[in-house]
Amino acid sequence: MKSSLILLSFSLAALTVSAGEASDPDVITSKASDIEFVGEQYRQLPFPRWLTEFTGMTRWPDLDPPYIPLDFIDMDKIPDFKPYRQGLCGVNPRDACSFDCDNCIAHDDVYTCPKLSQTFDDGPSPATLRLLNKLKHNTTFFALGINTVNHPDIYRKTMEAGHLMGSHTWSHAYLPSLSNEQIIAQIQWSIWAMNATGHHFPKWFRPPYGGIDNRVRAITRQFGLQAALWNHDTFDWKLVSNDPIRTEEQIYEEVRKWKSQGGGLILEHDGSHRPVDVALNVIDILGPDQMTVAQCVNGPDYIRNF
Ligand SMILES: *[C@@H]1O[C@H](CO)[C@@H](O)[C@H](O)[C@H]1NC(C)=O
Ligand SMILES: *[C@@H]1O[C@H](CO)[C@@H](O)[C@H](O)[C@H]1NC(C)=O
Ligand SMILES: [Zn+2]
């Protein structure tokens, strides 16, 4: 029986992350975007037969998806850097190459672009539709698996409008805090949600909170994923938490400054309305002369289309 609308909303702690700028790895600034999972619409996407045959399951998982062993994953290729909670950096040597702790970029990470380009995390959500109405250029959306199965229609609309879809995990986990199996589960279920909705396997991966190190990379690479980071952070999520140290006008000022400096990748969010309000104005500042992450590096849109 279907209950009335249940809003499961949880606040997520986040780090101030901005590659290229020095940041204090030990400071957690405040709360991040509230990611809303809308109960009434949850699991709108039917669970595919191929997934039942493969996993033995009959419904999409909750926030903590089960690990399903895959024969192409070689556990021996995963270095045993220690898991650590978000903000508790420094437990691993520098060669763990953490983006959020040390601004470390691996050889295959994408973090900038010849043209200054927007990217959007945390959708699909009803707010995404407002962006679609306005966007005149193709941009990149990093989707959460759980939101994809909540809003498959919005995912498809985004993709059909010509935008590039990348993975942002299943349920927005801070991956370096998880076991190898839990990281794999976050990735595999995200990919399966994208395949079941868009009939494609993603190439591009955006780690929540910028939480990626060489242990996480060793896993995501085995899925053929490549990390798409950023070098300009709007901190638009601080508006959601009404963080008084961030105003809309500050964001626009910084975007104008970035524009005068040349290319780059800008981090924005489409999981709720407030950051989308800002994004609509950022589109006006930047105009449509932007690239998708794939175009930035002349790479493929997807690993595979079905
Ligand atoms: C966006 O992508 C679609 C589909 O790949 C393509 O047909 C369209 O020309 C692209 N639009 C722009 C403005 O590049
Ligand atoms: C991807 O989706 C297709 C159906 O569109 C299905 O046949 C295939 O098994 C799926 N593959 C995986 C590994 O998700
Ligand atoms: Zn996110």
Side-chain angles (χ1 to χ4, degrees):
M1 206 175 89
K2 212 167 204 173
S3 60
S4 59
L5 186 80
I6 306 162
L7 272 175
L8 298 168
S9 170
F10 62 99
S11 298
L12 301 147
L15 284 171
T16 351
V17 174
S18 181
E21 284 171 36
S23 74
D24 183 344
D26 293 317
V27 174
I28 298 178
T29 42
S30 72
K31 294 187 290 180
S33 47
D34 282 349
I35 297 190
E36 290 177 351
F37 303 128
V38 183
E40 190 176 59
Q41 291 170 317
Y42 186 45
R43 295 185 203 97
Q44 266 211 357
L45 186 70
F47 197 80
R49 187 185 302 260
W50 55 263
L51 210 40
T52 295
E53 283 165 8
F54 193 65
T55 63
M57 292 170 59
T58 53
R59 38 164 274 181
W60 293 102
D62 294 312
L63 295 177
D64 193 11
Y67 162 66
I68 311 289
L70 294 170
D71 54 15
F72 63 86
I73 298 286
D74 183 351
M75 289 290 191
D76 293 337
K77 280 193 187 150
I78 305 169
D80 60 355
F81 292 116
K82 292 186 210 62
Y84 54 93
R85 292 225 322 278
Q86 193 180 9
L88 301 181
C89 296
V91 301
N92 287 309
R94 285 275 165 146
D95 66 357
C97 192
S98 160
F99 177 63
D100 62 315
C101 289
D102 300 322
N103 286 331
C104 181
I105 307 282
H107 65 93
D108 55 346
D109 291 351
V110 177
Y111 67 96
T112 189
C113 185
K115 290 182 178 172
L116 186 59
S117 300
Q118 294 168 275
T119 63
F120 296 95
D121 292 7
D122 297 357
S125 84
T128 310
L129 295 171
R130 294 168 56 221
L131 272 179
L132 298 185
N133 286 336
K134 172 124 184 174
L135 283 167
K136 297 240 180 342
H137 63 276
N138 291 337
T139 188
T140 315
F141 287 87
F142 293 98
L144 289 172
I146 205 162
N147 281 353
T148 299
V149 302
N150 285 350
H151 303 290
D153 48 335
I154 300 175
Y155 184 102
R156 288 193 196 105
K157 235 179 143 169
T158 308
M159 161 193 142
E160 281 160 12
H163 302 296
L164 175 60
M165 310 306 289
S167 164
H168 194 46
T169 73
W170 173 258
S171 60
H172 214 269
Y174 180 71
L175 299 178
S177 70
L178 303 182
S179 69
N180 293 343
E181 287 79 6
Q182 287 172 315
I183 296 171
I184 291 168
Q186 283 285 333
I187 303 301
Q188 61 190 177
W189 283 101
S190 145
I191 289 175
W192 292 336
M194 292 177 76
N195 186 32
T197 314
H199 309 293
H200 49 210
F201 275 9
K203 171 70 187 166
W204 305 102
F205 170 68
R206 167 75 49 87
Y209 317 100
I212 190 165
D213 61 12
N214 279 342
R215 186 169 67 94
V216 175
R217 287 187 189 91
I219 292 169
T220 53
R221 283 178 189 137
Q222 292 191 47
F223 284 93
L225 293 166
Q226 206 173 329
L229 307 172
W230 61 86
N231 58 353
H232 296 306
D233 193 342
T234 57
F235 295 106
D236 54 357
W237 50 268
K238 289 192 182 183
L239 297 169
V240 177
S241 58
N242 288 316
D243 188 323
I245 63 169
R246 196 73 180 158
T247 67
E248 269 191 53
E249 203 37 58
Q250 280 175 330
I251 295 177
Y252 305 140
E253 254 172 55
E254 286 199 354
V255 170
R256 285 187 206 100
K257 186 187 79 187
W258 298 335
K259 194 183 177 188
S260 73
Q261 293 168 347
L265 282 178
I266 301 179
L267 173 62
E268 299 190 64
H269 295 88
D270 67 317
S272 59
H273 284 287
R274 196 73 185 93
V276 167
D277 295 340
V278 174
L280 296 174
N281 293 323
V282 173
I283 292 170
D284 285 334
I285 295 171
L286 293 182
D289 192 22
Q290 302 187 32
M291 289 173 151
T292 65
V293 165
Q295 290 168 336
C296 293
V297 292
N298 200 16
D301 284 349
Y302 301 98
I303 290 177
R304 196 174 159 185
N305 290 283
F306 289 87

